[in-house]
Amino acid sequence: MSQTVPAGGGTSRIEPIAVSSESTVVAEFEADPAAIGKYQSEAALEAELVRMLQEQAYEYLPITTEADLVANLRAQLEALNQVTFSDAEWHRFYTTVIASANDGVREKTIRIQEDHVIAFKRDDGTTKNIALIDKTHIHRNRLQVINQYEVPTSPSADGQTPGQRANRYDVTILVNGLPMVHIELKRRGVDLREAFNQIKRYHRDSFWAGSGLFEYVQIFVISNGTLTKYYANTVRATHVAEQGKAAHGQGRKTSNTFEFTSWWADAANRPITDLVGFTTTFLAKRTILNVLTRYCVLTADRMLLVMRPYQIAATERILSRIETSSIQKRWGTVSAGGYVWHTTGSGKTLTSFKTAQLASRLEGIDKVLFVVDRKDLDYQTMREYDRFEKGAANSNTSTAVLKKQLEDRSARIIITTIQKLSNFIKQNPGHPVYGQHVVIIFDECHRSQFGEMHTAITKSFKRYHLFGFTGTPIFAENAGTSGSPHLRTTEQAFGDRLHTYTIVDAINDKNVLPFRIDYINTVQLPPDLSDAQVCAIDTERALLAPERVRQITQYILDNFDRKTRRNQTYRLEDRRVAGFNALFATASIDAARRYYNQFQRLQEDLPEAKRLKVGIIYSYAANEEEPDGILGEEGFDTDHLDQTSRDFLEDAIQDYNAMFGTSFDTSAEKFQNYYKDLSMRLKNREIDLVIVVNMFLTGFDATTLNTLWVDKNLRAHGLIQAFSRTNRILNSVKTYGNIVCFRNLENETEEALALFGNKDASSIVLLKPYAEYFEDYTRKLAELRELCPPGEIPVGEEARRQFISVFGDILRLRNILVSFDDFAGDDVITERDLQDYQSVYLELWNQHRAEQKADKEVINDDLVFEIELIKQVEINVDYILMLVEQRRAAKGDAEAKEIRATIDRAIDSSPTLRSKKDLIEEFVDSITVNADVSDAWQQFIAARRSEELERIIDEERLRPEPARAFVANAFRHGRLETSGTAITEILPPTSRFSRGQGPSHEVVKKTVIERLTAYFERFFDLA
């Protein structure tokens, strides 16, 4: 932490409050108003900058020629390495290592970032390691400052190449004699881009001149006194190289332009723009050395990235938390970890990579686990990590591979999915890795890490530090009601918020683009229906009406070129492209298919050159609705798609194959390859539009994507995640992310932006005292009893609505109360009455669902059923068998009848056992006095399972042996394979296309699948 203190001369200086060896970004900075406006000319700016650097212990050198620069370089390297070169040694080292004629900016950057220690053979045959920079003990590096260095335009005496034009460089910082930071100044009031363009001209005209020492510059700083920014050398070098290839004209800027320069800031994300403040913070000796040695990343494709201040601050706070909690032996607790809230699109993968890399180098840390929650994110993250450093991390394809990596001491950083890690924990109790000192980093730490898997991980590992990165945290405002009340928000699951960088910060800093949102009305509602009711309509038929689908598709076709800026061109990699591309987010697989067909129809008469290249992708998702605003999880599972959806996807992929000359299909491996190929074509602007359900709406980055068309309900973090696919910075042509909503999402958008732009959003679901919850609970129970006695169904629609509302409140309160020890002896409702009420609640829920299915035009009555809360404490078969045992052992008839009534109530109060009630009741009636209940149950279920299967085989005329094998395989693997050839082989012979002589092949197949699915669900969890 730091504070600003006026110095004797009136300027401000940063005084430490608490000094840490890891502190690079000042905690808080305030500019001294007296220091602003004292000078205006460029010469005055330069003189003041040199003076401030000298005050910060930089040595000033009056060097203006290359000969002096080289002589100083020799002296500095000799001092750093405690060696004295002979003239012959220095000439050989200088000409073959430092100033090799074949090396350019890229090679010299690699030397500084990766090969900064050179094994040099001396005249006497010995080998000496010569370091260009000391990255371990940064205080040993010497900083010097020069200004007005002049590049001659005529050959020097030693034959060095002159520059094309005579240039004088403003201010350069030497690190151990090598130019590593160059500062270009313009007077106040001049456009900052002029300084950027000046450096571009230097690169073209003279940085390479002489020995090319100025190609060692890693970081450039540009300032007009009022505004100051910094950027990496490859931003400048690549921009110039690309500009040389590109034709002159509109849109020639690429992703390596002024748009990629960065502000420096304090830890609260307040930009430090004035040159005085920038000099006392960013150019402070330890800060600039930390940035050069720790916070630069040279990617696998040899692009230098300099981390932004919020990324550095977050990384350092995590490292500090690891060190301090280790010293205090607080590992294995929430206080040993924390989470980082950096908005979507702000570079979390780079931050997490650098954090994982530096954490793996800390003394005493055995492993760093980087955990993602979906296969597609695993793939994307692995690619990003590989881009930052080839082979820096180990990914894995199976739990067995994960086990080997956890046992391999050389595997320091491991990327895995939370599912694989959870499976490893289940399969390997007591594994030695649980006792090792590990850092576990979660990417996108949403609700999927808050449940059983989170608990399993934190119970198994003993000496761990748990950290989460997220762009959209779970706060009290957007937390759900299910699950433990102590594990509902990101802070409750991971610990303190260590650093925050909101979407407002990112847009202000120009690190992501702002959104432009259009709301397109597509459904004409009755005049007496209020806007508030729009989202409450059962929209299944209305929103998928053929006319609406056609109108929306036509609207997209009519406006696509305008929204994606197809009238403007720019250079992408080695080619020129026009405009950007788009995603179309739909509410369901059915909707996605309808829209894809409509695009095909409306474009079939267009010339090939005018058609949009449209793709589609989806996979099986257990639930396509988004609970609590989380976008539904879609992996690569196509096996569980219904046959119609899979056949459609197969055909669409064949269209894609014809378009691009590929050979993908819906089989497991080829579908994953289809996903990867489609994602690359999106990023390369080779496809125009991709229709999705949930895929590509989270964890996917494509800078060429600027438009999201939305016919899908979104809210909270799911909305921000989806919208943020469009706001990655690319160039000066892409100025904002386009969102076009075909549903009324205005309120949801405003609420989401307000929540995720608020640094002070509450991160804890505040629990009131036990007594307050218990008082609410008893009051609600009294209200419920007044409404309806236990077991009776309330009469009338209004009474049923009240019952559902009040009992839902009771379920939510009970979910909180059970976390208090006091509640065990205080509950004021009997288990019997609770089960009776639960039975009625489930009956009303089933009636409500049946009414919805029967009348698609009905207006929903905003009822909220807390079924998930019932499922958390659901009655299971073991409990029922225990009651059966009690009944069998009961002495009197009255007691046996009472237990039978308890069994019936328990079954009725369970969402899953209700469908099995006839089986259980028949078993209860059949049990004999002397029978072992458990054995009798197994025998009974086996007999009934066989009997019902034989009935299906007989009634549907299935092939007996293949059908029995098919079902046995389903029970063995825990799922029914309804696609592929296995299901076809059990069907009776039918005509694929019926001509009035019985049902067609598809109708028979659908009927068989429905019956076998019901059969499987009925018996699977009873054995």
Side-chain angles (χ1 to χ4, degrees):
M1 295 177 61
S2 305
Q3 62 179 356
T4 307
V5 180
T11 59
S12 62
R13 68 183 189 274
I14 304 301
E15 292 289 347
I17 296 171
V19 177
S20 162
S21 63
E22 299 300 336
S23 179
T24 300
V25 178
V26 294
E28 187 174 355
F29 176 83
E30 291 183 13
D32 181 357
I36 299 174
K38 288 189 173 181
Y39 46 84
Q40 296 295 325
S41 71
E42 187 175 319
L45 267 177
E46 184 177 310
E48 182 67 10
L49 172 60
V50 171
R51 184 190 66 77
M52 285 190 294
L53 290 174
Q54 286 180 277
E55 283 187 352
Q56 293 176 196
Y58 283 73
E59 178 190 6
Y60 176 72
L61 296 177
I63 287 178
T64 58
T65 67
E66 183 168 272
D68 292 340
L69 193 63
V70 174
N72 177 68
L73 173 62
R74 176 177 177 174
Q76 298 305 318
L77 290 180
E78 286 180 337
L80 177 67
N81 293 282
Q82 298 180 328
V83 65
T84 301
F85 291 111
S86 69
D87 289 343
E89 286 173 338
W90 173 247
H91 180 266
R92 192 166 70 255
F93 185 78
Y94 184 75
T95 56
T96 61
V97 176
I98 292 179
S100 172
N102 296 323
D103 290 351
V105 173
R106 182 165 297 195
E107 290 75 21
K108 291 169 182 173
T109 299
I110 294 170
R111 187 165 298 130
I112 294 298
Q113 295 300 325
E114 296 181 349
D115 303 325
H116 57 285
V117 178
I118 296 97
F120 178 64
K121 193 170 185 178
R122 306 195 66 184
D123 291 344
D124 61 5
T126 60
T127 299
K128 170 75 174 174
N129 283 338
I130 305 296
L132 302 181
I133 185 169
D134 191 330
K135 295 189 177 184
T136 305
H137 308 288
I138 62 169
H139 62 276
R140 296 190 62 241
N141 299 292
R142 192 170 183 185
L143 296 180
Q144 300 167 305
V145 57
I146 64 174
N147 67 324
Q148 294 300 305
Y149 180 87
E150 186 174 359
V151 179
T153 55
S154 56
S156 60
D158 58 1
Q160 293 287 0
T161 307
Q164 291 181 354
R165 291 183 176 85
N167 291 141
R168 285 179 185 268
Y169 305 149
D170 287 347
V171 179
T172 305
I173 292 173
L174 310 180
V175 180
N176 304 324
L178 281 172
M180 288 200 195
V181 181
H182 179 69
I183 305 157
E184 194 62 28
L185 302 170
K186 295 295 176 186
R187 64 177 173 80
R188 292 181 185 271
V190 173
D191 186 357
L192 191 60
R193 285 169 176 77
E194 286 197 21
F196 182 86
N197 292 333
Q198 183 78 41
I199 290 175
K200 181 179 67 177
R201 288 192 291 274
Y202 289 160
H203 172 82
R204 183 187 65 211
D205 297 342
S206 59
F207 275 150
W208 45 264
S211 300
L213 291 181
F214 273 79
E215 292 184 316
Y216 276 100
V217 172
Q218 303 292 286
I219 297 172
F220 287 92
V221 176
I222 50 177
S223 179
N224 60 11
T226 306
L227 302 176
T228 310
K229 301 187 84 174
Y230 71 100
Y231 57 98
N233 64 10
T234 44
V235 170
R236 179 253 315 163
T238 308
H239 171 49
V240 174
E242 289 175 340
Q243 191 183 39
K245 297 177 186 176
H248 292 286
Q250 187 180 32
R252 67 171 179 243
K253 290 186 179 180
T254 71
S255 59
N256 297 287
T257 62
F258 183 79
E259 284 76 17
F260 273 68
T261 58
S262 298
W263 302 109
W264 188 245
D266 64 15
N269 306 317
R270 288 185 287 265
I272 302 171
T273 58
D274 190 84
L275 184 59
V276 175
F278 186 89
T279 303
T280 56
T281 55
F282 184 81
L283 296 178
K285 289 177 73 173
R286 193 162 51 79
T287 298
I288 190 61
L289 285 172
N290 264 340
V291 171
L292 285 168
T293 59
R294 291 166 66 87
Y295 300 116
C296 286
V297 175
L298 188 63
T299 69
D301 53 5
R302 306 343 244 164
M303 289 286 291
L304 185 67
L305 305 177
V306 181
M307 293 175 72
R308 291 166 175 157
Y310 61 88
Q311 294 173 312
I312 296 173
T315 300
E316 291 187 336
R317 288 186 177 177
I318 289 177
L319 296 174
S320 175
R321 179 58 59 92
I322 294 170
E323 291 188 322
T324 55
S325 60
S326 295
I327 292 170
Q328 296 165 0
K329 293 183 168 52
R330 286 189 284 114
W331 49 61
T333 66
V334 175
S335 61
Y339 78 97
V340 171
W341 172 17
H342 283 183
T343 190
T344 304
S346 61
K348 290 191 296 298
T349 306
L350 173 60
T351 312
S352 65
F353 166 77
K354 182 52 77 170
T355 302
Q357 186 186 60
L358 294 175
S360 71
R361 297 172 186 171
L362 290 176
E363 187 177 351
I365 297 298
D366 298 305
K367 299 266 183 217
V368 177
L369 301 181
F370 191 80
V371 186
V372 297
D373 69 347
R374 283 198 289 281
K375 290 179 184 175
D376 51 339
L377 282 178
D378 191 18
Y379 163 70
Q380 174 118 355
T381 304
M382 195 64 215
R383 283 190 66 254
E384 289 295 300
Y385 267 34
D386 269 352
R387 185 167 72 88
F388 299 146
E389 185 177 327
K390 204 72 177 173
N394 297 278
S395 187
N396 47 71
T397 55
S398 69
T399 306
V401 174
L402 174 60
K403 183 175 185 290
K404 287 181 181 177
Q405 290 173 347
L406 290 171
E407 293 167 354
D408 179 1
R409 290 188 177 183
S410 65
R412 303 281 293 163
I413 303 174
I414 299 169
I415 298 177
T416 188
T417 64
I418 191 169
Q419 292 82 3
K420 289 174 196 163
L421 185 56
S422 179
N423 288 338
F424 169 82
I425 289 170
K426 289 177 185 175
Q427 296 168 14
N428 297 275
H431 194 279
V433 74
Y434 303 142
Q436 292 184 352
H437 198 176
V438 299
V439 175
I440 306 174
I441 300 173
F442 285 88
D443 180 57
E444 294 297 347
C445 52
H446 294 325
R447 185 74 50 73
S448 58
Q449 281 92 31
F450 292 9
E452 292 179 8
M453 288 190 268
H454 180 281
T455 304
I457 290 168
T458 54
K459 279 189 175 180
S460 297
F461 287 90
K462 307 305 178 194
R463 301 172 66 217
Y464 66 84
H465 307 265
L466 201 66
F467 298 100
F469 281 84
T470 181
T472 49
I474 307 296
F475 299 115
E477 293 92 323
N478 60 317
T481 57
S482 61
S484 167
H486 300 289
L487 268 183
R488 285 191 187 155
T489 69
T490 306
E491 186 164 313
Q492 287 174 309
F494 288 90
D496 298 338
R497 187 195 306 172
L498 300 179
H499 194 257
T500 303
Y501 188 74
T502 69
I503 191 167
V504 174
D505 294 323
I507 290 174
N508 285 339
D509 290 347
K510 304 288 191 292
N511 285 330
V512 299
L513 300 172
F515 299 117
R516 175 177 173 173
I517 306 173
D518 296 335
Y519 300 97
I520 309 299
N521 184 23
T522 61
V523 179
Q524 291 298 322
L525 297 168
D528 58 339
L529 192 64
S530 67
D531 287 343
Q533 291 174 292
V534 171
C535 291
I537 299 175
D538 186 338
T539 56
E540 183 68 25
R541 189 159 71 190
L543 294 181
L544 287 182
E547 181 57 23
R548 179 177 180 273
V549 170
R550 191 196 65 78
Q551 287 179 354
I552 288 177
T553 307
Q554 190 63 59
Y555 182 90
I556 293 174
L557 289 171
D558 292 344
N559 293 276
F560 193 87
D561 286 358
R562 180 171 61 86
K563 289 293 184 184
T564 58
R565 313 285 292 274
R566 290 305 172 93
N567 63 333
Q568 292 186 279
T569 64
Y570 57 93
R571 194 165 191 84
L572 184 68
E573 300 293 339
D574 57 350
R575 61 197 175 93
R576 182 164 293 282
V577 297
F580 308 102
N581 47 18
L583 290 177
F584 184 12
T586 62
S588 65
I589 290 173
D590 185 25
R593 287 162 40 197
R594 291 175 187 237
Y595 279 113
Y596 184 83
N597 279 339
Q598 194 62 242
F599 275 106
Q600 300 294 90
R601 290 192 198 100
L602 292 180
Q603 294 197 106
E604 61 186 357
D605 295 331
L606 294 177
E608 188 71 31
K610 291 192 175 182
R611 293 182 197 169
L612 294 183
K613 292 181 178 177
V614 179
I616 185 172
I617 190 167
Y618 55 78
S619 64
Y620 173 78
N623 182 5
E624 287 175 1
E625 294 183 7
E626 295 82 42
D628 304 321
I630 296 177
L631 285 167
E633 184 173 316
E634 280 195 312
F636 295 127
D637 181 6
T638 53
D639 290 342
H640 284 75
L641 288 171
D642 65 80
Q643 194 60 40
T644 304
S645 296
R646 181 159 184 173
D647 289 346
F648 187 96
L649 184 59
E650 188 78 45
D651 290 342
I653 293 176
Q654 296 313 310
D655 293 344
Y656 182 90
N657 291 337
M659 200 185 307
F660 295 109
T662 51
S663 57
F664 305 117
D665 57 39
T666 59
S667 62
E669 185 176 351
K670 286 194 174 184
F671 182 71
Q672 289 194 39
N673 290 334
Y674 170 64
Y675 170 92
K676 295 172 185 177
D677 192 76
L678 181 59
S679 69
M680 290 310 300
R681 292 189 194 277
L682 265 172
K683 294 178 182 187
N684 294 334
R685 239 296 274 127
E686 295 174 29
I687 193 165
D688 298 311
L689 176 70
V690 178
I691 301 170
V692 302
V693 181
N694 288 328
M695 276 185 163
F696 291 129
L697 294 184
T698 60
F700 173 76
D701 293 337
T703 55
T704 61
L705 198 154
N706 86 320
T707 301
L708 176 71
W709 313 88
V710 183
D711 188 22
K712 179 184 186 74
N713 289 333
L714 294 167
R715 62 177 293 271
H717 30 299
L719 182 145
I720 295 293
Q721 288 277 347
F723 283 17
S724 296
R725 298 313 102 206
T726 66
N727 72 341
R728 302 300 195 266
I729 292 173
L730 176 62
N731 52 28
S732 56
V733 179
K734 186 179 178 183
T735 51
Y736 49 79
N738 255 322
I739 313 296
V740 183
C741 296
F742 299 111
R743 299 195 182 196
N744 185 5
L745 300 180
E746 190 165 6
N747 288 338
E748 286 81 0
T749 300
E750 289 175 358
E751 289 174 3
L753 291 174
L755 177 61
F756 293 110
N758 177 16
K759 284 189 176 71
D760 300 318
S762 173
S763 294
I764 293 292
V765 177
L766 295 175
L767 291 180
K768 296 181 290 187
Y770 168 76
E772 291 187 36
Y773 284 115
F774 190 71
E775 182 182 344
D776 289 345
Y777 178 66
T778 53
R779 181 171 51 80
K780 285 289 180 183
L781 278 173
E783 188 178 342
L784 183 69
R785 289 189 173 108
E786 191 174 329
L787 269 174
C788 172
E792 292 187 12
I793 296 179
V795 178
E797 185 177 341
E798 184 56 33
R800 293 184 180 191
R801 287 168 59 87
Q802 281 185 271
F803 177 89
I804 291 165
S805 175
V806 173
F807 192 68
D809 290 342
I810 289 170
L811 288 172
R812 288 190 292 273
L813 286 165
R814 279 185 68 85
N815 188 47
I816 294 172
L817 285 167
V818 292
S819 66
F820 291 95
D821 293 337
D822 298 344
F823 186 62
D826 284 358
D827 200 355
V828 290
I829 186 172
T830 65
E831 187 176 353
R832 169 178 175 167
D833 286 353
L834 182 65
Q835 287 181 353
D836 283 341
Y837 279 125
Q838 232 170 249
S839 300
V840 174
Y841 191 70
L842 287 170
E843 182 62 30
L844 294 177
W845 176 55
N846 286 324
Q847 288 179 15
H848 185 72
R849 288 197 305 169
E851 288 167 5
Q852 285 182 311
K853 289 178 182 177
D855 185 1
K856 291 293 185 182
E857 309 247 352
V858 72
I859 300 293
N860 288 349
D861 50 12
D862 67 10
L863 295 176
V864 178
F865 285 91
E866 300 289 347
I867 298 302
E868 289 302 315
L869 295 178
I870 294 178
K871 288 182 178 178
Q872 287 179 14
V873 289
E874 188 174 352
I875 302 298
N876 59 24
V877 172
D878 290 338
Y879 175 75
I880 297 295
L881 294 182
M882 181 268 291
L883 292 176
V884 173
E885 178 69 35
Q886 289 180 1
R887 182 175 184 271
R888 187 189 64 74
K891 303 285 190 214
D893 187 55
E895 189 175 351
K897 285 181 180 178
E898 178 59 32
I899 295 172
R900 172 59 189 264
T902 303
I903 293 171
D904 288 344
R905 280 194 298 273
I907 295 169
D908 286 338
S909 68
S910 164
T912 57
L913 290 185
R914 284 166 70 94
S915 64
K916 306 168 176 53
K917 185 174 183 180
D918 63 315
L919 283 173
I920 298 170
E921 287 180 338
E922 185 179 336
F923 172 71
V924 171
D925 292 337
S926 69
I927 191 75
T928 62
V929 176
N930 299 320
D932 179 277
V933 172
S934 181
D935 289 345
W937 171 253
Q938 296 295 337
Q939 293 169 15
F940 173 80
I941 288 299
R944 286 299 303 269
R945 200 171 96 176
S946 176
E947 179 185 322
E948 293 194 17
L949 177 59
E950 292 305 317
R951 185 183 307 132
I952 293 172
I953 290 172
D954 181 57
E955 292 174 357
E956 300 300 332
R957 299 185 300 112
L958 304 181
R959 295 185 173 97
E961 287 310 315
R964 294 184 192 105
F966 176 82
V967 169
N969 198 49
F971 281 104
R972 188 178 306 113
H973 295 293
R975 65 183 189 184
L976 199 73
E977 296 287 354
T978 58
S979 59
T981 58
I983 185 72
T984 306
E985 289 173 356
I986 73 173
L987 300 178
T990 57
S991 169
R992 187 166 287 274
F993 303 100
S994 174
R995 299 182 183 275
Q997 300 176 2
S1000 69
H1001 173 83
E1002 284 304 316
V1003 170
V1004 170
K1005 183 177 179 181
K1006 182 180 179 183
T1007 303
V1008 170
I1009 287 174
E1010 287 174 354
R1011 290 201 65 179
L1012 288 179
T1013 300
Y1015 168 82
F1016 178 79
E1017 291 174 353
R1018 178 171 163 85
F1019 285 103
F1020 177 66
D1021 55 356
L1022 291 182

